[in-house]
């Protein structure tokens, strides 16, 4: 897998030779590392799409720019933060699996099947665009493409329409200040 499969549960995985760097931008590799830390902190066995979404929102200005408003983004982050203190606790002992992505055994160790599929989808999206590395918007698009993902559930609870979000990503609806000056 291009993102470097985890060999141990997320809670036990440390940095090592399988760090995700092939096929991902440096920024997206950092997002994956942040999602791994978040899974560990939350006591989850696997990185799931909600971990990826949360870390994308915190770290990628292009991803934040495709949301409709500051209040919408704040509401979404509020739901994601609540995950470890109430909302989402029912997920802790379960695997995120929408059935849309085949589980490939040890290849997906440390990743929910849906998150692993989203990583593959992000790399494929970058390839279709002619890029050799996936970016945050590629991962966001791949995450929201699965209507059964935990990230899509959180988006819905926060009042974000995943299909409208995907259309904005596909249309390149990124604010000029994020494209032209690196997000400053």
């Amino acid at each position: 897998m291009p993102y470097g499969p985890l060999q141990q549960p997320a809670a036990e995985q440390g940095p090592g030779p399988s760090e995700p760097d092939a096929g991902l931008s440096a920024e997206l590799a950092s997002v994956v590392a942040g999602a791994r830390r978040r899974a560990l902190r939350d006591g989850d066995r696997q990185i799931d799409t909600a971990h990826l979404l949360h870390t994308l929102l915190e770290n990628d200005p292009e991803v934040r720019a495709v949301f409709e408003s500051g209040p919408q983004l704040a509401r979404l982050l509020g739901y994601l933060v609540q995950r470890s203190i109430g909302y989402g606790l029912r997920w802790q002992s379960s695997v995120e699996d929408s059935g849309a992505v085949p589980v490939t055994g040890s290849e997906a160790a440390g990743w929910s099947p849906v998150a692993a599929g989203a990583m593959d989808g992000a790399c494929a999206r970058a390839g279709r665009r002619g890029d050799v590395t996936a970016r945050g918007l590629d991962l966001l698009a791949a995450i929201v493409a699965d209507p059964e993902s935990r990230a899509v559930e959180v988006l819905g609870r926060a009042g974000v329409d995943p299909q409208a979000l995907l259309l904005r990503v596909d249309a390149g609806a990124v604010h000029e200040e994020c494209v032209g000056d690196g997000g400053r």
Side-chain angles (χ1 to χ4, degrees):
M1 290 184 163
Y3 51 86
L6 302 175
Q7 301 304 314
Q8 303 168 2
E12 299 173 13
Q13 176 68 30
S18 66
E19 280 300 305
D21 52 15
L24 303 178
S25 65
E27 294 82 7
L28 196 50
S30 177
V31 165
V32 169
R36 181 179 297 119
R37 286 189 302 273
R38 187 170 306 287
L40 173 65
R41 247 189 344 260
D42 290 350
D44 295 329
R45 297 179 334 183
Q46 296 180 320
I47 296 169
D48 66 24
T49 58
H51 295 122
L52 291 169
L53 176 63
H54 195 163
T55 309
L56 273 171
L57 289 170
E58 288 180 339
N59 294 299
D60 193 321
E62 286 185 327
V63 167
R64 287 190 303 272
V66 297
F67 287 85
E68 290 178 351
S69 67
Q72 183 185 63
L73 194 56
R75 192 170 43 253
L76 176 57
L77 283 168
Y79 273 103
L80 288 163
V81 167
Q82 289 177 30
R83 173 190 180 124
S84 62
I85 60 171
Y87 175 74
L89 284 180
R90 62 188 161 82
W91 293 336
Q92 276 190 329
S93 61
S94 65
V95 173
E96 177 187 35
D97 182 9
S98 68
V101 179
V103 179
T104 56
S106 64
E107 279 187 311
W111 292 82
S112 75
V114 180
M119 294 303 297
D120 288 342
C123 292
R125 182 180 169 90
R128 287 190 301 274
R129 194 178 55 250
D131 285 347
V132 294
T133 57
R135 299 185 324 234
L137 288 174
D138 296 318
L139 181 55
L140 179 62
I143 287 170
V144 300
D146 186 339
E148 300 297 318
S149 74
R150 289 178 180 169
V152 168
E153 180 181 336
V154 174
L155 287 166
R157 287 186 181 262
V160 177
D161 178 358
Q163 292 307 310
L165 183 63
L166 186 56
L167 288 173
R168 285 193 301 277
V169 170
D170 287 341
V174 177
H175 299 219
E176 288 298 320
E177 64 269 16
C178 290
V179 174
D181 68 3
R184 285 178 272 144

